[in-house]
Amino acid sequence: MARRTKVYEGKAKILYEGPEPGTLIQYFKDDATAFNAEKRDVIEGKGVLNNRLSEYFMTGLNNIGVPTHFIRRLNMREQLIRAVEIIPLEVVVRNIAAGSISKRLGIEEGTPLPRPIVEFYYKNDALGDPLVSEEHILAFGWATHQDLDDIVALALRVNDFLSGIMTGVGIKLVDFKIEVGRIYEGDFQRLVVADEISPDSCRLWDIKTGRKLDKDVFRRDLGNLSEAYAEVARRLGVMPSNATPITKPKLMN
């Protein structure tokens, strides 16, 4: 097998050069991290589940006209994606108070918000990905006014899509994070949803019981993370309903 060129390695994924110009291969690792990687572990099968779930969500978005970097899944752990210029922001949409917004504003966790709230965080691990305002973004040239309008519109469309899907399988979409990238086609720039959409980047609660089905299971030591992710995959039909949680990945291409 030919040696591949690694382009970037993050906490949960590795990017390799793709087979054609303008493409990359995105590999999903089993690493789980929290609190800016202060807490870490390896959860066997997590990368397989996130690859399949992200494929499911990105394909759905592409099908309804929300552009993403996703092209196709290649195997259990890898997908082919378009190479994009990542805007250095994490875009968070919140429907229910949880996590940092509860701590910052003293809102009890689980409180429905009056409307979806879009927040921006500067992508910088060394600084802990701080919350930033539109003024910061514009002043430092991370994005333009038009970019911000387009990013908010994208984020809210993703929220509508994910909320509908999750409600249909008895899951409450509390909040989620996306990244946005630029694709250049001649002189024309297009913004697309990039990175991944998975339980790593969403807060998901069972509607009836409130059971957490996302990375908070790992953050707060609430049980088996792989089982929680597998439950989401089963409800969405990504895994057979009688499948057991993955310990050693055996899914076929």
Side-chain angles (χ1 to χ4, degrees):
M1 179 176 168
R3 183 182 296 275
R4 294 187 298 184
T5 302
K6 184 190 295 186
V7 175
Y8 170 81
E9 181 167 1
K11 293 189 283 285
K13 294 182 295 297
I14 303 173
L15 296 179
Y16 296 99
E17 284 187 354
E20 300 171 2
T23 66
L24 294 168
I25 294 173
Q26 182 165 255
Y27 174 92
F28 288 76
K29 303 195 295 185
D30 282 342
D31 299 50
T33 63
F35 312 118
N36 202 22
E38 290 178 15
K39 181 177 182 179
R40 59 174 63 239
D41 201 353
V42 175
I43 312 294
E44 283 193 297
K46 170 180 169 289
V48 175
L49 285 163
N50 280 350
N51 183 27
R52 296 295 293 267
L53 285 163
S54 194
E55 172 198 17
Y56 178 86
F57 296 129
M58 293 289 192
T59 299
L61 289 170
N62 284 336
N63 288 341
I64 64 167
V66 178
T68 80
H69 71 166
F70 178 81
I71 300 174
R72 67 179 182 274
R73 182 172 61 84
L74 298 173
N75 52 49
M76 292 189 303
R77 291 184 177 273
E78 295 179 328
Q79 49 187 238
L80 185 67
I81 61 172
R82 293 179 180 83
V84 303
E85 178 188 298
I86 290 288
I87 295 173
L89 300 170
E90 294 185 346
V91 183
V92 173
V93 180
R94 300 183 183 275
N95 299 304
I96 296 166
S100 63
I101 195 170
S102 291
K103 294 176 183 176
R104 286 198 318 268
L105 303 181
I107 304 172
E108 183 179 356
E109 187 162 281
T111 303
L113 299 172
R115 60 179 176 83
I117 294 176
V118 181
E119 296 178 335
F120 300 103
Y121 294 80
Y122 177 47
K123 273 179 59 66
N124 187 309
D125 286 342
L127 299 176
D129 302 325
L131 177 69
V132 293
S133 68
E134 292 190 9
E135 279 297 305
H136 294 115
I137 295 166
L138 296 171
F140 295 119
W142 299 327
T144 66
H145 277 291
Q146 185 60 58
D147 288 337
L148 287 175
D149 288 345
D150 292 343
I151 289 169
V152 169
L154 268 179
L156 292 176
R157 289 191 69 192
V158 173
N159 188 46
D160 287 344
F161 171 75
L162 292 179
S163 294
I165 283 182
M166 292 303 181
T167 299
V169 294
I171 295 174
K172 191 179 298 183
L173 180 66
V174 175
D175 57 41
F176 67 92
K177 170 190 73 92
I178 58 171
E179 295 184 16
V180 175
R182 296 184 177 97
I183 290 178
Y184 295 96
E185 297 165 346
D187 294 332
F188 179 72
Q189 169 196 288
R190 188 160 57 118
L191 297 185
V192 303
V193 179
D195 192 43
E196 68 174 299
I197 299 176
S198 74
D200 266 9
S201 57
C202 304
R203 275 194 176 89
L204 305 170
W205 296 352
D206 181 84
I207 286 177
K208 292 182 179 178
T209 67
R211 175 191 171 199
K212 292 176 172 56
L213 300 170
D214 55 71
K215 201 161 74 169
D216 275 348
V217 172
F218 174 71
R219 290 188 187 100
R220 303 183 185 186
D221 297 315
L222 298 177
N224 186 303
L225 186 70
S226 186
E227 285 182 358
Y229 286 20
E231 176 65 18
V232 175
R234 279 194 290 264
R235 292 195 193 188
L236 293 170
V238 175
M239 278 179 62
S241 59
N242 61 348
T244 55
I246 298 169
T247 53
K248 295 191 179 299
K250 293 180 181 177
L251 290 179
M252 301 300 291
N253 290 353

